[in-house]
Amino acid sequence: MAVALAARKVGEFAQTEYPVVAPSVSVRDAIVAMRAMHSACVLVVSEQRLMGIFTERDFLNRVIGEGNLPGRTTVSDVMTVDPEVLQANEFIGQAIHRMGRGGFRNMPIVDESGRPVGVLSVRDVVEHLSDLFVTEEEASSQFAGAWLDLGEDT
């Protein structure tokens, strides 16, 4: 399984539907967009280019934690500017390593021009891994009792 997983590409795991907001949008409106799409982040885009990412963690630390009002604070004031990004053709193992090393729960995926094309979240990776483990378990259970019938003569 590890070899098969290591050969997979980021684009196979990523969410291709994700919330996008302009930098001038209020934090309140960004949260509404996140909730509507059941997402832990929004990508902040201007002129089709990724400017930043705003996450649940940003909301807690930079808005609530700093005493800012969500309706009066713009996303550009509290987003992560120029976030580290992934390319859809990168290997998932490399992406997981970068996410772990950087402490990222969500990473934007961009094309060659810097336009966002998706988001990779830890949740996406874990869901995929859980599916792989279930599939592997089901496959191995087909042979679970085979070792009992070794063709012994009685």
Side-chain angles (χ1 to χ4, degrees), residues 10 84-88 90 95 98-99 107-111 120:
V10 166
E84 194 166 334
V85 298
L86 298 167
Q87 300 282 321
E90 287 185 57
R98 287 175 59 196
M99 291 176 85
M107 285 187 76
I109 303 166
V110 297
D111 66 14
L120 181 66

Side-chain angles (χ1 to χ4, degrees), residues 28-112:
R28 175 178 288 141
D29 290 342
I31 295 296
V32 168
M34 290 165 66
R35 290 183 67 197
M37 296 190 78
H38 306 286
S39 178
C41 68
V42 294
L43 300 186
V44 184
V45 175
S46 179
E47 298 179 14
Q48 298 183 340
R49 308 242 343 144
L50 180 69
M51 306 303 292
I53 186 170
F54 178 73
T55 67
E56 295 168 322
R57 188 183 297 173
D58 293 329
F59 178 71
L60 292 173
N61 293 327
R62 297 178 181 168
V63 180
I64 301 302
E66 295 294 322
N68 293 315
L69 298 173
R72 293 187 182 171
T73 305
T74 64
V75 172
S76 64
D77 292 333
V78 292
M79 70 182 182
T80 300
V81 178
D82 296 324
E84 194 166 334
V85 298
L86 298 167
Q87 300 282 321
N89 62 353
E90 287 185 57
F91 290 111
I92 192 65
Q94 294 169 325
I96 292 169
H97 176 74
R98 287 175 59 196
M99 291 176 85
R101 188 185 73 229
F104 308 127
R105 290 186 249 176
N106 303 279
M107 285 187 76
I109 303 166
V110 297
D111 66 14
E112 304 79 32

Side-chain angles (χ1 to χ4, degrees), residues 4-26:
L5 179 63
R8 306 285 293 273
K9 302 290 182 149
V10 166
E12 298 176 52
F13 293 78
Q15 301 169 35
T16 55
E17 293 185 20
Y18 49 89
V20 175
V21 298
S24 60
V25 165
S26 73

